[in-house]
Structure formats: structure tokens, C-alpha cells
Amino acid sequence: MAPLITIERHIIDQQRKYPNATGAFSRLLYDIALSAKIIARESMRAGLVDILGSADTENVHGEKQQKLDIFADATMFHMNDHTGQLCVMASEEQDNIITIPDQFPCGKYVLVYDPLDGSSNIDVNIGMGTIFGIHRKITEGERGALEDCLQPGHDLVAAGYVIYGTSTMLVYSTGQGVHGFTLDPSLGEFLLSHENMRIPEKPLYYSANQGNQKYWTPGVRRYVDWLQGLDAPDHEPLQARYAGSLVSDFHRNLLRGGVYFYPGDLRNPNKPNGKLRLVYEAAPLAFLAEQAGGYASDGIGNILDIKPTSLHQRVPYFIGNRNLVEQAERFIQEYDPEWLARYKPMRVTVTGKRQTATMRVQAES
Ligand code: P6P
């Protein structure tokens, strides 16, 4: 029988590559895996306990919160607030940064997360997920601050997601490739099932909400024609698959090859930057995509080079096979000068990892 490699064992094996590791980072990854098991258990019972439906509250984005949203958010907080690994947290469901309670010690890591992405799918039994990113603390003092949560994605030390689908999987990377673990409910363990995940060279799918097509820019509409092979008789179309859940669409495209995009549009001239949040959705998955041989862009350049200027900042988003994402950039560059003029001033980039970072305000360049 092939050896059962639990996520705990995999984390320890990864830690052994760093002789000076204290184990703090490994313990943080355990705690996230345990949080995932707890959320998975509740989401699998969602139809049986009073956790379906809306909580009759709204989050910072004015989005109706589901009971399971609130449960997942509380779980991520309570499983990580006391461990001494973190100095601050940030959640899609919380307006401001989440400080570590005074009675608990602080650590050197920062956890940003979307506790339950795609929660509108809960009541219709379609997949959803948790997305997380881990940064190092960069500010002075024991306790973390907002600036610790506003680091560019290329400074992430780890990122991952949990997908609550036909099975529950935890997929993560610490910069040493992307590895997937499937939860065995009978053991309560995440077991290594997808080692060194790489996005296939030949893509099969594109994922987008084409109900918004009338609001898309000319460049994005041209892009969809290209994806559908309408621009050339010998150009094979990609198949459309859209789950309404970023984690589900990203996971499928990571395994089968493809592109997911949620572009900026022309509906609101003051909001050309789309729907997805940079800090705890777009950047962590962009980190994974790059580790798996893919790429993520806001339509201009690498998502990982964008310096967040606010906690819930939104970005236009294209993620998947590099050649597919770069084609979107070319069409936007050629056909969308009006949109580019609106969006570029919002875009601050930092090229190069922290030690050699050079901040550049896109609007000035
Ligand atoms: P729409 C879920 O709210 C989410 O952030 C992503 O998971 C998903 O891809 C997208 O929004 C769905 O948005 O506008 O297509 O319903």
C-alpha cells in the first residue's frame, strides 16, 4: 500500500528543508488545516442543522451574509487567535484588521483569508471554498498593523485554499510547488492526493459570468470571441464552465487547464476594478497559479506586483494558463484605452520581493 502522507507529515517534510525553522510556520499551517476540517464538517451538514440560509446581516461589502459565512469566519478566528503564531489577521467578512486579543501572545506571521468564498452556492449545494494567504510581519512592535496586511502578493510566504466539493481538498504552497490533500472523513485526516500540481499545457476551459458581457470592455469582448474560436476557423474553442465560485472554477482550471476571469467593466465609471478582492482572494490564488506554472493578471500586469492600498481593494482578474492570460492583456492594451485611463491611476505596483522592492505608482510612469 502506498504510504499515507498526511498534511501534517508533508508540512514537517517541507520544514526540514529549512534548518533554522522554529516550527511556528508549520504549526500555523496545522491550525489552518484543522480550521478547514471544522468548516468542512459544518458545510457537509448544512442541510441538516440550522445553518442554511441567510443570517439577515450584511458584510463590509453590503453582501448578505450566510450563516455558514459567519461560522467559517468565526472558526478561522478562534482557531488562530490564541496560538501565538500570528500578529494580526484580516478577513473578507470583517471591516477592519483583526487584532490578536490582549490576553494572547503575538507571533511573526499575518493571516489573510476569505473564510467562505462562493457562499451564495450553499443553499443549492454547489462547491465553495476558503482562501488564505500568509505574510511575515513587517511593522515594528509586537502587535500587527494594517500595513502588515497590505503587502504585495509576491511577498506571500504561503497561500492555499480549501474546496468543499464532492470531496474536501486543501491545496497549498509554501513556494515549493503546489500540493493537494483530500480529506478522508473516516480518518479525519487530509491525505496527499495531488503532489506537485501543474496547470496542463493544453487548456480546456474558460470561466466567466457572461451575463455581464454587455458591460464588458471591447477588449474583453474580443477576448471571449478569441476563447470561443470565433476569430479564426482553425482556432478550436475552449469550453465554458462557470460555477459562481472562484475556488471551484480555479481548482478545475488548475487540474484541466483554462482561464477564469472577472474583468473590470464599464457599468460604473468610478469602479472599473471588478469584483474580486486583492488581499485575500486574488493574490493568494495568483501565488498558487504561478507556483503551478500559470499566471494571474489584472489585465495590465502581474497581480503579485500590485501593492494593496486598502484592505478590501478590488481588482480586475484573469488567472490560469499564462498564454491565455497574456492574450487578455494584449486585447485590453489594444482595444481598451478608455478603461485603462480610468483604472491605471488606482494601480500601485511594487516590483521585486521585499528586500529589493522598488515602489512605482503606475499613474506616474
Ligand atoms: P457573480 C463569489 O461571491 C465570488 O467572489 C467568486 O467566488 C465568484 O467567482 C464570483 O464572486 C461570482 O460573481 O457576479 O458571477 O455572481
Side-chain angles (χ1 to χ4, degrees), residues 63 92 114 116-121 131 208-210 212 242-249 260-262 267 275-277 281 314:
E63 296 164 341
E92 192 231 20
D114 181 352
L116 202 66
D117 178 74
S119 55
S120 58
N121 286 336
I131 306 171
N209 179 350
Q210 291 191 255
N212 295 328
Y242 189 68
S245 161
L246 168 60
V247 169
S248 304
D249 286 317
Y260 166 101
F261 58 97
Y262 205 107
R267 248 174 296 194
K275 175 179 183 181
L276 297 181
R277 275 60 61 131
E281 291 175 334
R314 299 173 190 266

